[in-house]
Amino acid sequence: MKLQHKKLHPRFTLNSISYTELELLQEAQRLIKEGEDFEKSIGSFLLEWLNEENTVLVTTSGSTGKPKQIRLQKKQMKNSALATATFFNLKEGNTALHCLSTDFIAGKMMLVRAMEIGLELYYVSPNAIALDTNIKYDFAAMVPLQLEVSLVSVNSIKKLLIGGAPMPKGLKEKVKDKTVAIFETYGMTETITHIAIKPINKTAIAASVIRNGLSENFSKTFKTLPNITITTDKRGCLVIHAEKLSEEVVVTNDLVKIISATEFQYLGRFDNIINSGGIKLIPEEIETKLISLLKTPYFVVGIPDNKLGQKLVLILEGKEIPENLTSEIAALKSLTKYQIPKEVFLVPKFVEANGKVQRKETLKLIDLSQ
């Protein structure tokens, strides 16, 4: 696919209305003046996209460090839209749902894809997903929580991307037989959203293997989009090489296992590693092994310990610790002796931001001296 137009594809529509560039500018100004908060964000981005500047100002999520404002080249954002269109076979006239906040890169890119590819885009508030099942969407993107509340009507979408936070295993079980093809994504602001995807359910796995001729290993690992390759640094963290998306190599804090130059397995965050008595533990790996025992949100973390340096503990959200939980965890054959939490703590409600649990902030709610 090759993009021929300058700023606005002639097949692009927004909530069923076609626009010239001038008309879209006027609509953007109306949204800023009269719209709800999420519509004001849409209007502000449209004005920025349609101006004569070559860059867009965005705020990072903090995946590669502290949140900061950076400028992205519009041509790189167009390249990202093209890569997504190529990988998922999106064509002009396809319908798409925009239900993400346009304050962040994922929401901005839904608009860019629509304007560049020529999608018929429908937007709704990101805080209240109500799928109009009279519309059959070819493409959409959500965070895991949005998918959770849309399970009854999600089959009105053909291809769905999930990002912003790890997808819980319980949610994966709920969607395994859905007819919508669901893909988990890996990416960040610096790489202009997703640079790799992984199929979650049977429909997605079948579609991916048929269309792209990929190995079955693809259902267990992330596969990069076109023109993107990967390596690791001396820490074992992912390094992304994507010349069309970023002028610099992107070094992350994500521990990965490299399968090939275009496939990897995500292990966890480098800054979450627990060093307990000289044994390095990856919380995300342990959390996956505990999922069969726990029905409420949880995570494991290291807390200071005089003997071990850091002690592995389990943090549960809720009012009480399930009966026999400690003995059931100890009996799990998948856990090594070092991966068994030494203590369990309760928190009524985890601290969250942008749909992600803030481990350090949640830990501050606990009296660790008890």
Side-chain angles (χ1 to χ4, degrees):
M1 180 184 292
K2 187 175 181 180
L3 305 177
Q4 302 288 350
H5 49 286
K6 183 180 179 182
K7 294 181 181 177
L8 192 62
H9 194 290
R11 288 292 302 275
F12 165 72
T13 65
L14 192 61
N15 282 5
S16 299
I17 301 175
S18 298
Y19 294 91
T20 63
E21 288 185 18
L22 177 59
E23 290 170 340
L24 190 58
L25 283 169
Q26 293 172 338
E27 174 64 7
Q29 292 168 341
R30 186 193 70 79
L31 289 174
I32 293 171
K33 183 178 180 180
E34 303 175 7
E36 297 180 39
D37 286 345
F38 80 95
E39 292 176 311
K40 294 181 191 295
S41 295
I42 291 174
S44 295
F45 176 70
L46 289 175
L47 287 183
E48 190 173 15
W49 183 255
L50 295 172
N51 69 24
E52 295 303 317
E53 298 294 325
N54 293 322
T55 61
V56 170
L57 186 66
V58 297
T59 302
T60 70
S61 64
S63 296
T64 59
K66 293 182 179 180
K68 60 184 178 181
Q69 287 192 321
I70 61 174
R71 286 201 171 272
L72 297 176
Q73 296 285 333
K74 289 180 180 177
K75 66 178 180 181
Q76 293 171 341
M77 297 172 75
K78 291 182 179 183
N79 287 338
S80 174
L82 176 58
T84 298
T86 300
F87 199 95
F88 291 101
N89 197 28
L90 300 180
K91 302 181 182 298
E92 61 179 38
N94 283 174
T95 54
L97 173 67
H98 177 25
C99 57
L100 300 171
S101 171
T102 311
D103 290 333
F104 302 100
I105 188 62
K108 296 180 193 296
M109 282 306 300
M110 283 301 297
L111 287 162
V112 174
R113 293 180 197 117
M115 290 186 285
E116 289 296 309
I117 302 166
L119 303 179
E120 296 178 5
L121 187 68
Y122 297 85
Y123 68 75
V124 297
S125 168
N127 298 318
I129 300 301
L131 288 179
D132 184 349
T133 52
N134 292 319
I135 301 175
K136 299 300 181 182
Y137 300 103
D138 292 299
F139 183 72
M142 295 181 179
V143 298
L145 181 59
Q146 290 175 319
L147 174 57
E148 183 77 53
V149 300
S150 304
L151 290 174
V152 174
S153 52
V154 74
N155 280 341
S156 62
I157 301 171
K158 287 185 179 179
K159 298 170 186 174
L160 176 63
L161 306 187
I162 300 297
M167 192 170 173
K169 187 174 181 180
L171 182 56
K172 292 179 182 179
E173 282 294 314
K174 293 178 183 178
V175 301
K176 66 180 181 180
D177 294 320
K178 295 289 186 181
T179 59
V180 52
I182 302 177
F183 300 84
E184 188 172 4
T185 64
Y186 176 90
M188 59 204 70
T189 307
E190 293 89 339
T191 59
I192 313 178
T193 67
H194 53 264
I195 57 96
I197 63 103
K198 176 171 62 176
I200 292 302
N201 61 352
K202 297 176 183 177
T203 307
I205 292 172
S208 301
V209 172
I210 291 171
R211 172 163 170 72
N212 297 301
L214 301 172
S215 65
E216 289 299 327
N217 198 41
F218 178 48
S219 64
K220 301 177 182 179
T221 62
F222 283 98
K223 169 69 177 178
T224 62
L225 269 60
N227 302 310
I228 297 171
T229 58
I230 52 173
T231 56
T232 54
D233 63 11
K234 61 183 181 181
R235 302 171 300 164
C237 290
L238 184 68
V239 178
I240 302 166
H241 306 263
E243 293 182 1
K244 292 188 176 182
L245 304 182
S246 175
E247 295 178 356
E248 299 179 354
V249 170
V250 178
V251 181
T252 76
N253 286 324
D254 293 321
L255 294 165
V256 299
K257 177 183 178 182
I258 296 289
I259 307 300
S260 72
T262 58
E263 286 186 77
F264 66 92
Q265 181 182 353
Y266 175 80
L267 301 178
R269 294 283 294 175
F270 179 80
D271 36 348
N272 286 343
I273 284 182
I274 301 165
N275 190 330
S276 184
I279 303 297
K280 291 185 178 180
L281 304 172
I282 301 176
E284 293 86 347
E285 180 182 0
I286 299 170
E287 289 160 5
T288 299
K289 295 179 179 181
L290 293 174
I291 200 161
S292 62
L293 299 180
L294 298 165
K295 305 300 181 184
T296 59
Y298 66 93
F299 64 89
V300 297
V301 68
I303 63 173
D305 182 80
N306 291 332
K307 182 179 180 180
L308 298 172
Q310 283 185 303
K311 178 172 61 176
L312 178 68
V313 299
L314 172 64
I315 313 297
L316 295 178
E317 182 180 79
K319 297 181 180 180
E320 60 182 8
I321 298 174
E323 188 176 357
N324 301 323
L325 177 61
T326 302
S327 59
E328 289 176 352
I329 290 176
L332 277 178
K333 294 183 179 179
S334 59
L335 292 175
T336 69
K337 64 179 181 179
Y338 303 107
Q339 294 176 326
I340 298 174
K342 306 299 183 184
E343 288 187 69
V344 180
F345 294 92
L346 274 176
V347 175
K349 183 67 178 176
F350 287 170
V351 178
E352 295 186 4
N354 299 326
K356 299 179 181 179
V357 174
Q358 304 299 297
R359 297 177 183 235
K360 292 181 180 179
E361 294 303 313
T362 299
L363 202 58
K364 292 179 182 178
L365 303 177
I366 302 172
D367 180 6
L368 298 177
S369 63
Q370 58 182 332

